C-alpha cells in the first residue's frame, strides 16, 4: 500500500473472482495456483450452498415461495460440511469472501433481480447472512468445522446474471456496510478505472474487443460459452473455448498493462462447463500474469483500500484516461 506521487505509474491490479464457489476440483486448482504465484482472489458465496436439499424451506426469495430457487441447493449434510471446510480454507489462505446472493433468480425464472426493489435486495441479503450464520441450526449439523469468519468479512459481491438496478441496490448495500460491487456490465467498451457511485466502488464486468472472436465480447466465462455455441455442452469445442478465454484475457491484460493501468476484472465460475474448458485456461492465465513485474493479483477490497489511499487528484486523472481493449489492435 503506497501512495503514489505525480508522474508515477500505478501498478497493474488483476482481480480474479469466482461466482458461487461450489464444490469442484476446480476450487483446489485455483487455491493451489494462487498459492504458487502469491495471488489473492475474491470468492463470492451463494447462500443456497449453506442449506441441504432437505432443508431448502429455510430460504424464501423475494416474490417466491419457501424452498424455491433457480439453481440447486447444497446437497446432503456431507456436502454442506465440505463446503464450509473449503470456505475456511479459502479465507485462511488470505482470499476475500463476498456474496453471490442466494436464489439465482434471473430473467425467465419469475420475479427476478432486474425487477427487485431496495426492500427485495435487503430481504435477499438478510437471507444470505442468516443462512451463513445459522447453517448448523438450519441443517441440524453438529459435525465438521465451524465457519471461521462472519458477515463482517463480506464487503461486496456480484448479483446473479449481472441483473439489478443500482438505484435499488445501493441503498441495500449501505444497510449492510458494503463498500464495493462487481455486478454491472460495463457501460462502454473497454477497460477503465473503477468509479465510486453513491459511496459504492463499482467494478464493471468488461465489454472488450476479443481478438479470437474478432468482435466485442462481455469478458465472462459463461458469456464466452454462450457466444461459442449458445451455452451447449459440446466438449469437442473445449479447445476453441479455451483459446477464446486465453486470447481475450491476454489482450485485456496487455492493453491495460501497457496503457491506462486500470484494474483488470476477471470474473469466472468454478463450473465444469463445456468439458471444463474455461477453468484450466483461467488458472494458466493467473499463473502467467500474477508473477509479472509491477503486477498484483488482488481482491476488490485490496484495490478499494489502495485507491482510497491515493491523492484524489491523481485518481481522478487515471479515471479520466481513455479505455483500453475497446477496439481491435492496430495492424
Amino acid at each position: 500500500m503506497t501512495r503514489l506521487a505525480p508522474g508515477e505509474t500505478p501498478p497493474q491490479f488483476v482481480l480474479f473472482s469466482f461466482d458461487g464457489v461450489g464444490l469442484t476440483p476446480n476450487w483446489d486448482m485455483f487455491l493451489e495456483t494462487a498459492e504458487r504465484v502469491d495471488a489473492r482472489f475474491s470468492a463470492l458465496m451463494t447462500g443456497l450452498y449453506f442449506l441441504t436439499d432437505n432443508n431448502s424451506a429455510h430460504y424464501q426469495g423475494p416474490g417466491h415461495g419457501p424452498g424455491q430457487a433457480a439453481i440447486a441447493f447444497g446437497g446432503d449434510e456431507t456436502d454442506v460440511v465440505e463446503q464450509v471446510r473449503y470456505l475456511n480454507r479459502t479465507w485462511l489462505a488470505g482470499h476475500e469472501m463476498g456474496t453471490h446472493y442466494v436464489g439465482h433468480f434471473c430473467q425467465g425464472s419469475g420475479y427476478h433481480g432486474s425487477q427487485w426493489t431496495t426492500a427485495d435486495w435487503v430481504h435477499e441479503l438478510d437471507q444470505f447472512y442468516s443462512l451463513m450464520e445459522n447453517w448448523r441450526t438450519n441443517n441440524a449439523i453438529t459435525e465438521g468445522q465451524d465457519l471461521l469468519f462472519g458477515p463482517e468479512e463480506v464487503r461486496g459481491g456480484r448479483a446473479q446474471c449481472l441483473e439489478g438496478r443500482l438505484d435499488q441496490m445501493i441503498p441495500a448495500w449501505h444497510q449492510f456496510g458494503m463498500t464495493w460491487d462487481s455486478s454491472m456490465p460495463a457501460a462502454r467498451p473497454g477497460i477503465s478505472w473503477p468509479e465510486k457511485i453513491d459511496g459504492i466502488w463499482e467494478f464493471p464486468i468488461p465489454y472488450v474487443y476479443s481478438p479470437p472472436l474478432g468482435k466485442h465480447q462481455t469478458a465472462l466465462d459463461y458469456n464466452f460459452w454462450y457466444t461459442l455455441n449458445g451455452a451447449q455442452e459440446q466438449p469437442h469445442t473445449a479447445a476453441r473455448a479455451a483459446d477464446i478465454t486465453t486470447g481475450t484475457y491476454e489482450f485485456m491484460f496487455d492493453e491495460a498493462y501497457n496503457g491506462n493501468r486500470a484494474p483488470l476484472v476477471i470474473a469466472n465460475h468454478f463450473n465444469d462447463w463445456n468439458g471444463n474448458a474455461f477453468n484450466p485456461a483461467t488458472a494458466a492465465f493467473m499463473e502467467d500474469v500474477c508473477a509479472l513485474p509491477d503486477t498484483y493479483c488482488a481482491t476488490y477490497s485490496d484495490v478499494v483500500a489502495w485507491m482510497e489511499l491515493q491523492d484524489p487528484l491523481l485518481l481522478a486523472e487515471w479515471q479520466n484516461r481513455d479505455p483500453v481493449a475497446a477496439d481491435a489492435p492496430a495492424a
Side-chain angles (χ1 to χ4, degrees), residues 25-45:
N26 291 316
W27 203 336
D28 292 283
M29 179 176 64
F30 280 108
L31 285 169
E32 292 161 5
T33 302
E35 184 176 11
R36 282 197 300 274
V37 295
D38 195 24
R40 283 156 56 87
F41 60 74
S42 299
L44 310 182
M45 301 176 286

Side-chain angles (χ1 to χ4, degrees), residues 104-110 112-114 161 163:
H104 218 282
F105 293 113
C106 305
Q107 188 171 359
S109 57
H112 57 91
S114 291
C161 303
E163 290 187 3

Side-chain angles (χ1 to χ4, degrees), residues 195-206:
E195 296 195 353
K196 211 171 191 178
I197 302 174
D198 294 338
I200 301 291
W201 284 100
E202 187 63 44
F203 294 81
I205 304 299

Side-chain angles (χ1 to χ4, degrees), residues 208-219:
V208 297
Y209 181 82
S210 168
L213 292 170
K215 63 179 184 178
H216 288 88
Q217 170 70 45
T218 298

